[in-house]
Amino acid sequence: GRAAVRVLEAAGFAVRLLEGRACCGRPVFSMGRLDVAENFGRHNLTLLEGGKDPVIFLEPSCFSMFKEDYRELGLTGAEALSERSFLFEDFMAQTLEDAPDALRFKSAPAPTAIHAHCHCKAITDTRNITRLLEHIPENRVTMLDTGCCGMAGAFGALENKYDLSVKVAEPLVRLIQELAPDTRLIASGTSCRHQIEHLTGAQPLHTAELLSEALMEDGDP
């Protein structure tokens, strides 16, 4: 979160963390508790009602609730809020497309591999993540050809689903194990990062963290 704020502010945006917000509702929505998800959604929609500022999300699962699922639940105001909701990577990719000089980055001559979250694949253009990270000079970016990490929120944490979760993750684990030792691994989803750390020992970063690390400081040549 701090990394995202740093990047957004460096690009000239004034960032405000929404106070009093409730859970997006994804965990209960995924478990079939639509009544609880509706209550969370109504609360969040009321907080953001009438605004015009973009709402930026770091977690794809949360983003998908605001972008799609509140609308599917038929909540009042969901359509207007969906139009204001942006995943961090999409928002920053568009920002730099419109204003390429909005951010300055230091050279980072090392490979970067991306594991895209399932919700990103479903409702966004994952190429935006690649385009965004390619703004870092000498950054060699690869989008891994991966499926689901197997964690899927609470699914992989359930005792009776653990073995299946690990089985689903096997292709991803193989790809990560084949990466060069100096490769930086990007995974925007919290569940994805948890699964990767648990099964491979790798330390994946959120996209915002890599961008923040690469930002040029005052006084840098």
Side-chain angles (χ1 to χ4, degrees):
R2 295 186 183 96
V5 170
R6 183 167 183 259
V7 172
L8 287 162
E9 289 183 340
F13 295 101
V15 182
R16 178 172 67 93
L17 186 65
L18 184 65
E19 296 182 2
R21 68 196 184 284
C23 172
C24 69
R26 168 59 59 196
V28 290
F29 185 88
S30 297
M31 300 297 285
R33 290 301 307 273
L34 304 189
D35 56 333
V36 182
E38 287 177 359
N39 289 335
F40 285 145
R42 290 191 188 96
H43 177 87
N44 291 326
L45 286 163
T46 298
L47 285 180
L48 291 161
E49 184 179 15
K52 295 182 179 180
D53 295 333
V55 183
I56 310 300
F57 295 84
L58 301 182
E59 169 56 52
S61 294
C62 298
F63 167 70
S64 66
M65 287 297 295
F66 281 71
K67 193 68 178 178
E68 283 198 341
D69 297 314
Y70 287 174
R71 292 190 297 169
E72 292 181 5
L73 290 169
L75 301 181
T76 301
E79 190 69 39
L81 183 55
S82 174
E83 294 177 2
R84 295 169 51 203
S85 299
F86 299 92
L87 198 61
F88 172 82
E89 289 87 346
D90 295 333
F91 184 80
M92 291 309 306
Q94 187 62 54
T95 295
L96 293 181
E97 182 176 326
D98 296 338
D101 297 328
L103 293 172
R104 294 195 308 147
F105 296 106
K106 297 173 285 191
S107 177
T112 298
I114 303 165
H115 164 65
H117 192 283
C118 290
H119 284 135
C120 293
K121 296 171 185 173
I123 60 176
T124 72
D125 185 351
T126 58
R127 292 174 297 180
N128 284 335
I129 311 173
T130 303
R131 295 187 188 109
L132 177 58
L133 293 178
E134 285 176 343
H135 282 277
I136 301 173
E138 298 187 75
N139 189 22
R140 304 190 299 278
V141 186
T142 301
M143 176 66 71
L144 296 176
D145 185 11
T146 57
C148 179
C149 72
M151 178 55 75
F155 179 87
L158 298 173
E159 184 177 1
N160 65 340
K161 301 296 185 183
Y162 177 79
D163 290 342
L164 177 57
S165 172
V166 172
K167 187 72 175 177
V168 172
E170 285 180 358
L172 171 61
V173 169
R174 284 197 298 270
L175 286 174
I176 291 174
Q177 290 173 338
E178 292 170 358
L179 295 174
D182 62 340
T183 302
R184 297 163 300 198
L185 181 60
I186 300 297
S188 294
T190 302
S191 294
C192 300
R193 292 195 300 275
H194 179 91
Q195 183 82 317
I196 290 168
E197 291 174 3
H198 175 59
L199 297 178
T200 73
Q203 298 294 313
L205 301 172
H206 190 282
T207 310
E209 293 179 289
L210 183 57
L211 291 176
S212 178
E213 290 176 5
L215 279 177
M216 194 169 286
E217 305 279 0
D218 291 339
D220 285 341

